[in-house]
Amino acid sequence: MLRWARAWRLPHGGLCPSGSSFSRVPVAPSSSCSREGAEPRPLPLSYKLLDGESALPAVVFLHGLLGSKTNFNSIAKALAEQTGRRVLTVDARNHGDSPHSPDMSYEAMSQDLQGLLPQLGLVPCVLIGHSMGGKTAMLLALQRPELVERLVAVDISPVETTSSSNFESIVTAMRAIDIPDEMPRSHARKLADGQLSSVVQDIAVRQWLLTNLVEVGGRFMWRVNLDALAQHLDKIMAFPLQQDSYPGPTLFLLGGNSEFVHPSHHPEIMRLFPRAQMQTVPNAGHWVHADRPQDFVAAIRGFLV
């Protein structure tokens, strides 16, 4: 029997109406401050844990930019059922139900996990990260290899991301959305969808983005911290320079229709992850797990053997 456990749905840093009127959809207030140059302070992340055999390394999923732990709900359930392992899905800082912070560096996101995973008794684990989550996973494995039994980076490289993913335009469009107070939820989503459509043509991507739109007291807010993401988008697209390599087994799982991982990235991949192997999922774009979920699960299971 699978058992869901939820923790850290926090009252602070959550979605709190301010009482003032507004013309555009706001983001929830920040709950944490950091000093320039200070060591990143770990935040208590929101997570869901599927129970399983404690003798086997747990599987931990990290979502990408503008995503949340719910992106992996069906994948997590399938892997837990098919492998008997514990499976953890996590909201990154400034995403989902996790607290907001002005610090959106990979060092800070790695510190968050360095606090959470040992606390839950899930180390060493199989760490699987997509896009931004893949970069967080890679940095954690490089910084603390003893916490990571093996690593999967989904359609991302340990280099600057230069693919025409248009994240900057998407964030700008989300910040510009205008929804009047007290509008019914169905109307609000339709209005937001229409305003996004000029920038995001793919309806499935728009529907995914709109999972971040939440209603609190008759007002609509973005649960993702768009202000912090917009301010640090250059950091999110980059990757911190690293000298040491990760010695564990590593899989780079790529979308066959995606251009995020280029052959020119391979030397840096092999320098940092000398045991890396590449696998491509045909007919999948950047969101490999959403485009080809069964192939994605099969690839993960094969890597776990």
Side-chain angles (χ1 to χ4, degrees):
M1 177 68 69
L2 299 178
R3 291 187 288 123
W4 284 104
R6 176 189 287 266
W8 299 114
R9 191 176 180 94
L10 300 172
H12 69 279
L15 302 169
C16 304
S18 63
S20 60
S21 63
F22 62 93
S23 61
R24 290 179 179 170
V25 179
V27 298
S30 296
S31 63
S32 171
C33 298
S34 60
R35 302 185 307 276
E36 189 70 26
E39 182 75 14
R41 187 176 70 183
L43 296 181
L45 302 179
S46 176
Y47 62 85
K48 284 184 178 179
L49 178 64
L50 276 173
D51 201 10
E53 176 54 60
S54 60
L56 297 172
V59 177
V60 177
F61 282 103
L62 308 179
H63 63 78
L65 181 64
L66 301 174
S68 73
K69 61 182 179 293
T70 61
N71 297 161
F72 291 105
N73 275 353
S74 59
I75 298 287
K77 184 176 180 180
L79 269 177
E81 289 176 340
Q82 295 174 24
T83 68
R85 294 175 185 247
R86 295 164 295 170
V87 181
L88 181 76
T89 55
V90 184
D91 281 333
R93 58 172 54 207
N94 294 316
H95 290 75
D97 296 324
S98 284
H100 287 185
S101 168
D103 189 348
M104 197 56 199
S105 65
Y106 284 110
E107 290 85 355
M109 288 187 276
S110 174
Q111 286 290 331
D112 292 341
L113 292 164
Q114 290 179 42
L116 177 65
L117 296 177
Q119 170 194 321
L120 296 178
L122 300 181
V123 293
C125 67
V126 178
L127 195 55
I128 304 173
H130 170 247
S131 200
M132 179 190 79
K135 288 188 173 183
T136 303
M138 287 187 279
L139 183 60
L140 176 59
L142 292 166
Q143 291 179 327
R144 298 286 304 278
E146 73 279 7
L147 302 183
V148 183
E149 191 261 343
R150 58 186 60 210
L151 172 70
V152 182
V154 183
D155 209 58
I156 203 67
S157 300
V159 300
E160 183 177 0
T161 300
T162 57
S163 174
S164 56
S165 54
N166 214 22
F167 280 121
E168 184 174 4
S169 298
I170 291 173
V171 170
T172 300
M174 291 174 70
R175 294 176 82 192
I177 283 179
D178 185 357
I179 299 178
D181 289 354
E182 306 299 338
M183 175 173 280
R185 181 173 179 80
S186 60
H187 294 178
R189 286 181 62 87
K190 186 175 181 179
L191 179 62
D193 182 70
Q195 292 180 30
L196 282 174
S197 62
S198 61
V199 174
V200 184
Q201 282 73 43
D202 190 324
I203 187 171
V205 174
R206 292 202 306 273
Q207 293 303 307
W208 168 69
L209 292 172
L210 289 172
T211 61
N212 289 296
L213 187 65
V214 294
E215 183 183 4
V216 178
R219 310 176 72 229
F220 288 90
M221 291 182 170
W222 292 114
R223 63 178 181 172
V224 63
N225 188 349
L226 294 174
D227 292 340
L229 301 187
Q231 184 177 356
H232 298 294
L233 203 55
D234 55 339
K235 288 183 181 179
I236 297 170
M237 294 298 110
F239 187 76
L241 182 63
Q242 300 295 304
Q243 299 302 326
D244 296 331
S245 62
Y246 168 67
T250 305
L251 173 65
F252 283 79
L253 190 58
L254 316 179
N257 299 335
S258 174
E259 298 179 353
F260 271 69
V261 179
H262 192 269
S264 63
H265 303 170
H266 292 184
E268 183 67 356
I269 288 173
M270 297 311 300
R271 182 182 76 84
L272 293 175
F273 305 97
R275 296 180 64 186
Q277 55 182 285
M278 305 279 185
Q279 184 174 343
T280 299
V281 177
N283 303 313
H286 180 55
W287 286 270
V288 184
H289 51 288
D291 292 341
R292 308 292 295 183
Q294 293 182 340
D295 294 340
F296 180 84
V297 170
I300 299 300
R301 288 190 63 186
F303 183 60
L304 293 177
V305 175

